Amino acid sequence: MLRFALLGAGFIGSVHAANLASHPGVEFSRIYDIDRSRAQALAETHGASAAADLDEVFDPENIDAVFIASSTDTHARHLVRAADAGLAVLCEKPIDLDLDRAREAAAHAAGRAVPVMIDFNRRFDRDYAELKRTIDAGEIGDVELLQLTTRGPALPPLSYIATSGGQMRDQTVHFFDLARWLTGLDPVEVFAAGSALSDPRLAEYDDVDTSAVTLRLPTGALVQIDSVRRTGYGYDERIEVMGSAGLVEAGRRRTGAVSRYRAGQVVDDGLHPGWFERVQPTYAAALAHFVAAVESGTPLTPSLDDGLKAQAIAEAATRSLHTGKSERIEY
Amino acid sequence: MLRFALLGAGFIGSVHAANLASHPGVEFSRIYDIDRSRAQALAETHGASAAADLDEVFDPENIDAVFIASSTDTHARHLVRAADAGLAVLCEKPIDLDLDRAREAAAHAAGRAVPVMIDFNRRFDRDYAELKRTIDAGEIGDVELLQLTTRGPALPPLSYIATSGGQMRDQTVHFFDLARWLTGLDPVEVFAAGSALSDPRLAEYDDVDTSAVTLRLPTGALVQIDSVRRTGYGYDERIEVMGSAGLVEAGRRRTGAVSRYRAGQVVDDGLHPGWFERVQPTYAAALAHFVAAVESGTPLTPSLDDGLKAQAIAEAATRSLHTGKSERIEY
Amino acid sequence: MLRFALLGAGFIGSVHAANLASHPGVEFSRIYDIDRSRAQALAETHGASAAADLDEVFDPENIDAVFIASSTDTHARHLVRAADAGLAVLCEKPIDLDLDRAREAAAHAAGRAVPVMIDFNRRFDRDYAELKRTIDAGEIGDVELLQLTTRGPALPPLSYIATSGGQMRDQTVHFFDLARWLTGLDPVEVFAAGSALSDPRLAEYDDVDTSAVTLRLPTGALVQIDSVRRTGYGYDERIEVMGSAGLVEAGRRRTGAVSRYRAGQVVDDGLHPGWFERVQPTYAAALAHFVAAVESGTPLTPSLDDGLKAQAIAEAATRSLHTGKSERIEY
Amino acid sequence: MLRFALLGAGFIGSVHAANLASHPGVEFSRIYDIDRSRAQALAETHGASAAADLDEVFDPENIDAVFIASSTDTHARHLVRAADAGLAVLCEKPIDLDLDRAREAAAHAAGRAVPVMIDFNRRFDRDYAELKRTIDAGEIGDVELLQLTTRGPALPPLSYIATSGGQMRDQTVHFFDLARWLTGLDPVEVFAAGSALSDPRLAEYDDVDTSAVTLRLPTGALVQIDSVRRTGYGYDERIEVMGSAGLVEAGRRRTGAVSRYRAGQVVDDGLHPGWFERVQPTYAAALAHFVAAVESGTPLTPSLDDGLKAQAIAEAATRSLHTGKSERIEY
């Protein structure tokens, strides 16, 4: 049994709490949140206890692993402290919005040799795992072109936008990771174009809501990613990978398989209302992977390095949004 | 070049006329219709001439083949006369609504050894040909269950119903033929249940508009056919064939590949408005088969015998509608 | 909190045990099985206790509801005893394979006025609920034709077949219930044709593995059901309902949304390997419905009467398999 | 009747010849080709005559319209001469690979006020017309993102590549036109990245076979186009258009609607083997539009200006392939 403490009792913290509570190999012990009452409420729901302070979290006598799901600006600090305490870490992305600070914290943790996993949960999607298997088995030949789509149904509140780091670092970063993971290659160049179409106030935050990114891989293969914040038709995510011998696609996911035939049209069940409904099962799968790998001592992925690299791509993409040029990616 | 005369200048006659006119191996010479002006109008459109009388049709000096597309009650008579004149015959189904008269005419034609083909055009559908290929190649193992659906968008006029022979002989008969052709087997028993749901006046004609038929093949394999006259959503036709090792399906055909994503739903292009739009290409394909086979002297299918057998099934099915029992089929 | 005892710790018992354990409104107390060690093992997994005898199950002091998931021949007896003890009952179908005994037990339970629900779990499928909503909202007009497909991947062991009551009572009965539920109508007549194609030994049990059933509803609407025991391509279930104004279909469910494009073909994810993977979520949904309805005192469906009626259709269908005639259904 | 002369009897010339021959409003008179015997052979097939020289083509006494389908380097010259002769012109794209020469010829033709249409045939695709209708009807709100895919099955011969003008001018140009037509907007900037992955010899021609293009529209809306020369899985073309209120997509077109269910997978009919099979019907539709518009005197589109603008985008995209920067488009 892996004894777990959870940092953060907000929305995503509650998601992780539910998964921790129902994983048979986890003893879900403590929850910490700066808002203690929030921690307490969540702890009660899941039979855990609210930690009085961080000492009760980073407590190697009683805790084996921490799940960092607190606000972004606390990730690096918690990571460092967990590493110092010798605890395994499952960390929400990003390590830090500032890439230098993120690298520093990652280097520190690496020095302590504790197992750390960045929660790029989409890698644990059933369909994406099948894409990876297909590619790795050589079924589509050499990878030559990827198309990734991520489109959210509604613009998050501007207060969220303000601290998000911008669309590349906040939304597209998951797909930078997926592109790296699926191909096993680190992109060398990135071009990004973006616009603020849903709300002009985005411009005040120097942010965009609709963007088109092109990555170049070292083999010359190309990647296109479109990211949208507000669709009008639900949450839309799909990936296709073309190789020299064929194409494999993880298509749009529907909420059901009902079709209604009327004169001249067929009305099918549509997409999920939001990103969470679409990716929900991947969180439990990611946690299961973490627990199994920690228990068996096998290497953890996505690793700290994976986290840093996806972030480095986001940095270069953000630069390109301003320069209008293809930017070299510095890892 | 096969010199063709066409009998019948009604709706289906015009369809065949257009195909005769554009087939490169056909010299489309003459059209006959009891309404001479109708024949003349159609002849002009396609550069043929209107026949003054039937002698100009059954004229082996100038004509090699006749296409019988006149009213049903004239088919048998024209078939016999064409056979006597030594002409090849492409004949709209049925040979005659009265099975005994149909058998007599067929026997007569068989005695003259002229090439005759019954125009069960659906056998020439691209997707159904692929079903047949798949089954014959053994890809689904032994055939065990078939489902055939044929659903028209609107009840034909009652005047049509009056002389149609009823749903089994008029609509379902095509699918009796398809079931025989796909499996290579002659059904031994048939059960049929039917209702008149769209128009109570159907009962006056002892006819139904919604029916469910079950056939038993000599191997024990079963066939389900549902036939509907009025759908509210266009023309709906599909076939699936289950075997011991898999299933093959010719799915519903859409008019286009456009999808419209809205909140909670996806609206796709629907089915064809009517049966004609759905099966139109099969008429030209059937004609091409006829011409090629006559020119090369290879056997013609669907044969006279195929026409009689599908009709025999329709007879037994019509009986079953009344008896509520499974009826043995007499070929 | 509803205090639950579970009867039966076999395969389906374990499924229900897991759902009882994770339902927040259930206190999962006791498990009984004639094989005590089996009960004990299952109880341990879910933090319940194994009941020493049936007195510990039918114990109104400590138990509010029983879940009858023991062998079929014990259902009626347990139902009667639970009713006498004033407990709510969630009962696996059928009440008894013998329809008279089932009616007797049901009448007894009805006399005690305890809440009883028959676990026709498929009614709680997300897509079937949407079919029902669509029909009830009048979106397809008057119901005129239903097609239901249920095809299992592999013949169950002959030992199972021996006590199953035959394909109609064991497999098709779920779809008799769905047809009643979706239309709100009780079929008046049934015709069934069947064959034993996968294993000739089925004939020794007077059973079939491939069958075609036609039901007639009091409105004249028709229902076709095909039931298969062994497909070669996984578990296949679909329902379509045609009305006077349109059609609604719950299509085949795929295990994923991955497509692989190759020359001339697209290979999509296929069907579930077995029926359980396909219907699994419906069990928890059915339980949730039971708990909510018992707690709020609202009527329970599917009711005892629903259970008896589906069984009455299965009786008549089984007769029809032998007589080759449409059989009147006696409720 | 529009009296037509055709210039060019190569592959695309034969396609147009067949359409000219079967259009009821066209009198297909003459064919010219520098290889006279080729012109003669094609003329015979379609009942036209081979023109002895260009005077017989640009002959307003006997000819009303010319179809320019000769080699690209002759288009501008023929256009000018047809305009001088007062003939209507249907011209294969491009007017000239050199944009300045193209502009000059277009200006000359415009001065003569003859009706001219550039044969961007894809605008006449049934599904793309439906996209346009949907967008124009406001059904998806304001257009914000387009994705266009064009992927050919096999690299054309290098001899073709040598004179093609490169992937942007030869292949992608159709999609630059579609993007303009669908949105009614002229892109202001273009970024293009490309690689030569299928054949290293492409580099000798300074050409690419796999490219990703991003266009910015004046509204800030973005367009992504991927173009591939060699897929391994047939010809792949699709378009999706996202707006503020929904998305509309013209999906991949399949060659049939047959599905084969096997254990764990469903094998559907795939894509067309080549681009021609995919777009074939659009040529006849484009011709029909031309004939109808010329006969009725309504304006012709795609116009000369449309041809020049698509080409201007291709010019800027070709520049961007080299500079790695977003390039402003000069119309």
Side-chain angles (χ1 to χ4, degrees):
Chain A
M1 294 292 272
L2 213 58
R3 297 168 302 169
F4 247 99
L6 171 68
L7 289 146
F11 170 69
I12 202 66
S14 340
V15 172
H16 296 315
N19 290 329
L20 287 165
S22 65
H23 190 297
V26 165
E27 186 186 316
F28 184 19
S29 300
R30 294 174 191 167
I31 303 180
Y32 176 84
D33 195 282
I34 42 168
D35 176 346
R36 177 113 200 249
S37 67
R38 195 160 73 159
Q40 218 132 21
L42 189 60
E44 261 161 47
T45 311
H46 295 297
S49 65
D53 54 29
L54 288 169
D55 293 340
E56 288 190 25
V57 169
F58 302 107
D59 165 14
E61 294 300 302
N62 298 298
I63 299 295
D64 303 310
V66 296
F67 201 139
I68 303 178
S70 44
S71 67
T72 296
D73 58 340
T74 66
H75 290 187
R77 188 161 81 234
H78 290 332
L79 169 61
V80 164
R81 194 158 167 194
D84 286 342
L87 305 179
V89 181
L90 179 47
C91 184
E92 270 288 331
K93 61 94 197 167
I95 303 170
D96 194 287
L97 277 176
D98 181 291
L99 182 52
D100 287 335
R101 273 205 299 273
R103 281 179 175 139
E104 224 171 279
H108 185 95
R112 295 298 178 279
V114 292
V116 182
M117 174 172 144
I118 300 298
D119 201 3
F120 280 130
N121 54 301
R122 275 173 178 82
R123 288 198 189 188
F124 299 91
D125 179 86
R126 180 260 177 223
D127 287 357
Y128 298 163
E130 172 62 10
L131 289 192
K132 173 100 176 118
R133 193 205 59 73
T134 304
I135 297 166
D136 289 352
E139 294 179 17
I140 60 164
D142 297 328
V143 168
E144 299 188 343
L145 184 72
L146 285 87
Q147 271 200 358
L148 303 98
T149 284
T150 169
R151 301 179 189 155
L155 191 69
L158 290 174
S159 58
Y160 176 91
I161 294 289
T163 63
S164 70
Q167 191 176 32
M168 295 297 114
R169 293 186 187 95
D170 183 61
Q171 180 181 6
T172 317
V173 69
H174 278 288
F175 298 83
F176 294 144
D177 178 64
L178 288 174
R180 286 188 62 246
W181 172 64
L182 288 169
T183 62
L185 295 170
D186 292 333
V188 292
E189 276 184 357
V190 58
F191 170 82
S195 293
L197 300 172
S198 65
D199 191 325
R201 287 173 299 170
L202 274 169
E204 296 170 26
Y205 300 95
D206 197 23
D207 203 355
V208 295
D209 55 15
T210 306
S211 62
V213 168
T214 304
L215 301 172
R216 181 185 295 277
L217 300 180
T219 55
L222 301 172
V223 181
Q224 284 187 312
I225 309 175
D226 74 86
S227 311
V228 168
R229 288 288 197 186
R230 186 272 332 256
T231 64
Y233 62 96
Y235 182 70
D236 184 0
E237 186 173 316
R238 60 184 282 278
I239 299 181
E240 67 177 56
V241 186
M242 195 201 78
S244 51
L247 176 141
V248 63
E249 173 184 36
R252 296 185 163 109
R253 207 82 65 78
R254 309 289 179 83
T255 55
V258 175
S259 298
R260 299 145 199 88
Y261 287 72
R262 300 172 188 163
Q265 60 174 220
V266 183
V267 182
D268 301 320
D269 291 332
L271 306 186
H272 293 87
W275 64 270
F276 181 66
E277 291 85 350
R278 168 65 177 77
V279 308
Q280 184 171 15
T282 62
Y283 287 112
L287 175 64
H289 171 78
F290 177 82
V291 172
V294 168
E295 293 287 14
S296 67
T298 52
L300 280 168
T301 53
S303 66
L304 277 168
D305 192 51
D306 290 324
L308 294 174
K309 282 185 164 159
Q311 222 171 321
I313 304 172
E315 289 301 310
T318 305
R319 272 203 310 282
S320 177
L321 281 173
H322 294 92
T323 62
K325 292 193 306 185
S326 202
E327 295 283 333
R328 187 144 289 271
I329 303 163
E330 319 280 352
Y331 292 104
Chain B
M1 295 292 274
L2 213 58
R3 297 168 302 170
F4 247 98
L6 170 68
L7 289 146
F11 170 69
I12 202 66
S14 338
V15 172
H16 296 316
N19 290 329
L20 287 166
S22 64
H23 190 296
V26 164
E27 186 185 316
F28 184 19
S29 301
R30 294 173 190 165
I31 304 181
Y32 177 84
D33 195 280
I34 41 167
D35 175 347
R36 176 111 200 250
S37 67
R38 195 160 74 157
Q40 217 132 22
L42 189 60
E44 261 161 47
T45 310
H46 296 295
S49 65
D53 53 30
L54 289 168
D55 292 340
E56 286 188 24
V57 169
F58 302 108
D59 165 14
E61 294 299 301
N62 297 298
I63 299 294
D64 303 310
V66 296
F67 201 139
I68 303 177
S70 44
S71 67
T72 296
D73 58 340
T74 65
H75 290 187
R77 186 161 84 235
H78 290 331
L79 168 62
V80 165
R81 192 156 169 198
D84 287 342
L87 305 179
V89 180
L90 179 47
C91 185
E92 270 290 329
K93 62 96 196 167
I95 302 168
D96 195 288
L97 277 175
D98 181 293
L99 183 51
D100 286 336
R101 272 204 300 273
R103 281 178 174 141
E104 221 170 284
H108 185 96
R112 295 298 177 279
V114 291
V116 182
M117 173 173 145
I118 300 298
D119 201 1
F120 280 129
N121 54 300
R122 275 171 178 84
R123 288 197 189 189
F124 299 92
D125 180 87
R126 181 260 177 221
D127 287 356
Y128 297 164
E130 173 61 12
L131 289 192
K132 173 101 176 117
R133 192 204 59 73
T134 304
I135 296 165
D136 289 352
E139 293 179 18
I140 61 164
D142 297 327
V143 168
E144 299 188 343
L145 184 72
L146 285 87
Q147 270 199 359
L148 302 98
T149 284
T150 169
R151 301 178 190 155
L155 191 68
L158 290 174
S159 58
Y160 176 91
I161 294 289
T163 62
S164 72
Q167 192 176 34
M168 294 298 115
R169 292 186 187 95
D170 183 62
Q171 179 180 9
T172 318
V173 69
H174 278 289
F175 298 83
F176 294 144
D177 178 64
L178 287 174
R180 286 188 62 248
W181 172 63
L182 288 170
T183 62
L185 296 169
D186 291 332
V188 291
E189 275 184 358
V190 58
F191 170 82
S195 293
L197 300 173
S198 65
D199 190 326
R201 287 173 299 170
L202 273 170
E204 295 171 27
Y205 300 94
D206 197 22
D207 203 355
V208 295
D209 57 14
T210 307
S211 62
V213 168
T214 304
L215 301 172
R216 181 184 294 277
L217 300 180
T219 55
L222 301 172
V223 181
Q224 284 187 313
I225 308 175
D226 73 88
S227 310
V228 168
R229 288 288 198 185
R230 184 274 330 257
T231 64
Y233 64 96
Y235 181 70
D236 184 0
E237 186 173 317
R238 59 184 284 278
I239 299 180
E240 66 178 57
V241 186
M242 196 201 78
S244 52
L247 176 141
V248 64
E249 173 184 35
R252 296 183 164 110
R253 206 82 64 78
R254 308 290 179 84
T255 56
V258 175
S259 298
R260 299 145 200 88
Y261 287 72
R262 300 172 188 163
Q265 59 174 222
V266 183
V267 183
D268 300 319
D269 292 331
L271 306 186
H272 293 86
W275 64 270
F276 180 66
E277 290 86 351
R278 168 66 177 77
V279 308
Q280 184 171 17
T282 62
Y283 287 112
L287 175 63
H289 172 78
F290 177 82
V291 172
V294 168
E295 294 287 15
S296 66
T298 51
L300 281 168
T301 54
S303 67
L304 276 169
D305 192 51
D306 290 324
L308 294 174
K309 282 184 164 161
Q311 221 171 322
I313 304 172
E315 288 301 309
T318 304
R319 274 203 310 281
S320 177
L321 280 172
H322 293 93
T323 62
K325 292 192 305 185
S326 202
E327 296 283 333
R328 187 144 291 272
I329 303 163
E330 319 280 353
Y331 292 106
Chain C
M1 295 291 275
L2 213 58
R3 297 167 302 169
F4 248 98
L6 170 68
L7 290 146
F11 170 69
I12 202 65
S14 338
V15 172
H16 296 315
N19 289 330
L20 287 165
S22 64
H23 190 297
V26 165
E27 186 185 315
F28 183 21
S29 301
R30 294 175 190 166
I31 305 181
Y32 176 84
D33 196 281
I34 42 166
D35 176 347
R36 178 116 199 249
S37 67
R38 194 159 74 157
Q40 218 132 21
L42 189 61
E44 261 161 48
T45 310
H46 295 295
S49 64
D53 54 30
L54 288 168
D55 292 341
E56 287 189 26
V57 169
F58 302 107
D59 165 14
E61 294 300 302
N62 298 296
I63 298 295
D64 303 310
V66 296
F67 202 139
I68 303 177
S70 44
S71 67
T72 296
D73 58 339
T74 65
H75 291 187
R77 186 161 83 234
H78 290 332
L79 169 61
V80 165
R81 194 157 167 197
D84 286 343
L87 305 180
V89 181
L90 179 47
C91 184
E92 270 289 329
K93 61 97 196 167
I95 303 168
D96 194 288
L97 276 175
D98 181 293
L99 183 50
D100 286 336
R101 274 205 299 272
R103 281 180 174 137
E104 223 170 281
H108 185 96
R112 294 299 177 278
V114 292
V116 182
M117 172 172 146
I118 300 298
D119 200 2
F120 280 129
N121 53 301
R122 275 172 178 82
R123 288 198 189 189
F124 300 91
D125 180 85
R126 180 258 178 223
D127 287 356
Y128 298 163
E130 172 62 10
L131 289 191
K132 173 101 176 118
R133 191 204 60 72
T134 304
I135 297 165
D136 289 352
E139 293 179 18
I140 60 164
D142 297 328
V143 168
E144 300 189 342
L145 184 72
L146 285 87
Q147 270 199 358
L148 302 97
T149 285
T150 169
R151 302 179 190 155
L155 191 67
L158 290 173
S159 58
Y160 177 91
I161 294 289
T163 63
S164 70
Q167 191 176 33
M168 295 298 115
R169 293 185 187 95
D170 183 62
Q171 179 181 8
T172 317
V173 69
H174 278 289
F175 298 83
F176 294 144
D177 178 64
L178 287 175
R180 285 189 61 248
W181 173 63
L182 288 170
T183 62
L185 296 169
D186 291 333
V188 291
E189 275 184 358
V190 58
F191 170 82
S195 293
L197 299 173
S198 65
D199 190 326
R201 287 174 298 171
L202 274 169
E204 295 171 27
Y205 301 94
D206 198 23
D207 203 355
V208 295
D209 56 15
T210 307
S211 62
V213 167
T214 304
L215 301 172
R216 181 185 295 276
L217 299 180
T219 55
L222 301 173
V223 181
Q224 285 187 313
I225 309 175
D226 74 87
S227 311
V228 169
R229 288 289 198 184
R230 185 274 330 257
T231 63
Y233 63 96
Y235 181 70
D236 184 0
E237 187 173 317
R238 59 185 282 280
I239 299 181
E240 66 177 58
V241 186
M242 196 201 77
S244 52
L247 176 141
V248 64
E249 173 184 35
R252 296 184 164 109
R253 207 82 64 80
R254 308 290 179 84
T255 56
V258 175
S259 298
R260 298 144 200 89
Y261 287 71
R262 299 172 190 163
Q265 59 175 220
V266 183
V267 183
D268 300 319
D269 291 332
L271 307 186
H272 292 87
W275 64 269
F276 181 66
E277 290 86 349
R278 168 67 177 76
V279 308
Q280 185 172 15
T282 62
Y283 287 112
L287 175 64
H289 171 78
F290 177 83
V291 172
V294 169
E295 293 287 13
S296 67
T298 51
L300 279 169
T301 54
S303 67
L304 276 169
D305 192 50
D306 290 324
L308 293 174
K309 281 184 165 161
Q311 222 171 321
I313 304 171
E315 289 301 310
T318 305
R319 272 204 311 282
S320 176
L321 280 173
H322 294 94
T323 62
K325 292 193 306 185
S326 202
E327 295 283 334
R328 187 144 290 272
I329 303 163
E330 319 281 354
Y331 293 104
Chain D
M1 294 292 274
L2 214 56
R3 296 168 303 170
F4 247 98
L6 170 67
L7 289 146
F11 170 69
I12 203 66
S14 338
V15 171
H16 296 316
N19 290 330
L20 287 166
S22 64
H23 190 297
V26 165
E27 186 185 317
F28 183 20
S29 300
R30 293 175 191 165
I31 305 181
Y32 176 83
D33 195 282
I34 42 166
D35 176 345
R36 177 115 199 247
S37 67
R38 195 159 74 158
Q40 217 133 20
L42 189 60
E44 261 162 46
T45 311
H46 296 297
S49 65
D53 53 30
L54 288 169
D55 293 341
E56 288 190 24
V57 169
F58 301 108
D59 165 14
E61 295 299 301
N62 298 297
I63 299 295
D64 303 310
V66 296
F67 201 140
I68 303 178
S70 44
S71 67
T72 296
D73 58 340
T74 65
H75 290 188
R77 188 161 82 232
H78 290 331
L79 169 61
V80 165
R81 194 157 166 194
D84 286 343
L87 305 180
V89 181
L90 179 46
C91 184
E92 271 289 329
K93 62 95 195 163
I95 303 168
D96 194 287
L97 276 175
D98 182 291
L99 183 51
D100 286 336
R101 272 205 300 271
R103 281 178 175 142
E104 221 170 283
H108 185 96
R112 295 299 177 278
V114 292
V116 182
M117 173 173 146
I118 300 297
D119 200 2
F120 279 130
N121 55 300
R122 275 171 178 82
R123 287 197 189 189
F124 299 91
D125 180 86
R126 181 258 177 222
D127 287 357
Y128 297 164
E130 172 61 11
L131 289 192
K132 173 102 177 114
R133 191 203 61 72
T134 305
I135 297 165
D136 288 353
E139 294 179 19
I140 61 165
D142 297 328
V143 168
E144 298 188 343
L145 184 72
L146 286 86
Q147 270 200 359
L148 303 98
T149 284
T150 168
R151 301 179 189 154
L155 191 69
L158 291 174
S159 58
Y160 177 91
I161 294 289
T163 62
S164 71
Q167 192 176 33
M168 294 299 114
R169 292 186 188 96
D170 183 62
Q171 180 181 8
T172 317
V173 69
H174 278 288
F175 299 82
F176 294 144
D177 178 63
L178 288 174
R180 286 187 62 247
W181 172 62
L182 288 170
T183 61
L185 296 170
D186 292 332
V188 292
E189 275 184 358
V190 58
F191 170 82
S195 291
L197 298 173
S198 65
D199 190 326
R201 286 173 299 171
L202 274 169
E204 295 170 27
Y205 300 94
D206 198 22
D207 202 356
V208 296
D209 56 15
T210 307
S211 62
V213 168
T214 304
L215 301 172
R216 181 185 295 278
L217 300 179
T219 55
L222 301 173
V223 181
Q224 284 187 312
I225 309 175
D226 74 87
S227 311
V228 168
R229 288 286 199 186
R230 186 271 333 254
T231 64
Y233 63 95
Y235 182 71
D236 184 0
E237 186 173 318
R238 59 184 283 279
I239 298 180
E240 65 177 58
V241 186
M242 195 200 79
S244 52
L247 177 141
V248 63
E249 173 184 36
R252 296 185 164 109
R253 206 82 64 78
R254 307 289 179 84
T255 56
V258 175
S259 298
R260 299 145 200 88
Y261 287 73
R262 300 173 189 162
Q265 59 174 221
V266 183
V267 182
D268 301 320
D269 292 331
L271 307 186
H272 293 86
W275 64 270
F276 181 66
E277 290 85 350
R278 167 68 177 78
V279 307
Q280 185 171 16
T282 62
Y283 287 112
L287 175 63
H289 171 78
F290 177 84
V291 172
V294 169
E295 294 286 15
S296 67
T298 51
L300 281 168
T301 54
S303 67
L304 276 169
D305 192 51
D306 290 324
L308 294 175
K309 281 184 164 161
Q311 221 171 323
I313 304 172
E315 289 300 310
T318 304
R319 273 203 312 281
S320 176
L321 281 173
H322 293 93
T323 62
K325 293 193 304 185
S326 203
E327 296 284 334
R328 186 145 290 273
I329 303 163
E330 319 280 353
Y331 292 104

